Amino acid sequence: MFSRRTLFAVASVALVSACASMSGPKTVADTLAANPSLSTLNGLVVQAGLAPTLQGAGPFTVFAPTNEAFKAVPQKTMDALAKDPAMLKDLLAFHVVPGKMVSADIKAGPVKTVNGASLAVAKAGDFVTVEDGMVQSANIAATNGVIHTVDRVMIPPAKK
């Protein structure tokens, strides 16, 4: 038979191992990277060099287009984004709002994005819309902000 001391030691090691393997809170960038339905967005964030920014202090609110949303973007547009880093950064920054806005805080009206343009948001009951897109999953928490997945890629207005 095992002594109490041996059982306690084995249980302690198991508990410490379990705690060490649990992942702690993640930044917006880490949360995007860990979500399979946001892999296209994550790849573009990395390509544009914005991952370090989204790992920063924040807080940020990201209206994150899903992989399905990116499939609806014409291939010609995706090719143009791949060739133009400034246009890609502009598009991605149009999906990010400085500050943390959980869905309960959203009021109808424009919100200023990181790229300087305004994004139209609205709320009806539990439904939140962003431009012509619908929030699919709201309030995905991160240590430096919040993510709301959306079913559309929003195209920023042309700069004047």
Side-chain angles (χ1 to χ4, degrees), residues 126-151:
D126 291 337
F127 296 100
V128 175
T129 58
V130 184
E131 294 290 316
D132 62 346
M134 178 78 74
V135 169
Q136 303 294 299
S137 297
N139 306 324
I140 300 168
T143 57
N144 61 345
V146 63
I147 299 168
H148 306 286
T149 65
V150 293
D151 64 354

Side-chain angles (χ1 to χ4, degrees), residues 63-157:
F63 293 100
T66 62
N67 294 344
E68 289 300 313
F70 276 103
K71 286 180 184 175
V73 175
Q75 189 59 47
K76 180 179 173 183
T77 302
M78 293 302 291
D79 292 343
L81 289 169
K83 294 175 187 168
D84 188 342
M87 185 170 37
L88 177 59
K89 274 187 177 182
D90 193 48
L91 176 105
L92 295 174
F94 189 58
H95 291 77
V96 181
V97 175
K100 183 177 179 181
M101 285 183 3
V102 295
S103 61
D105 297 338
I106 293 176
K107 308 273 188 270
V111 293
K112 191 74 119 181
T113 66
V114 170
N115 90 339
S118 291
L119 196 59
V121 297
K123 183 175 172 189
D126 291 337
F127 296 100
V128 175
T129 58
V130 184
E131 294 290 316
D132 62 346
M134 178 78 74
V135 169
Q136 303 294 299
S137 297
N139 306 324
I140 300 168
T143 57
N144 61 345
V146 63
I147 299 168
H148 306 286
T149 65
V150 293
D151 64 354
R152 295 278 188 280
V153 175
M154 282 81 68
I155 306 297

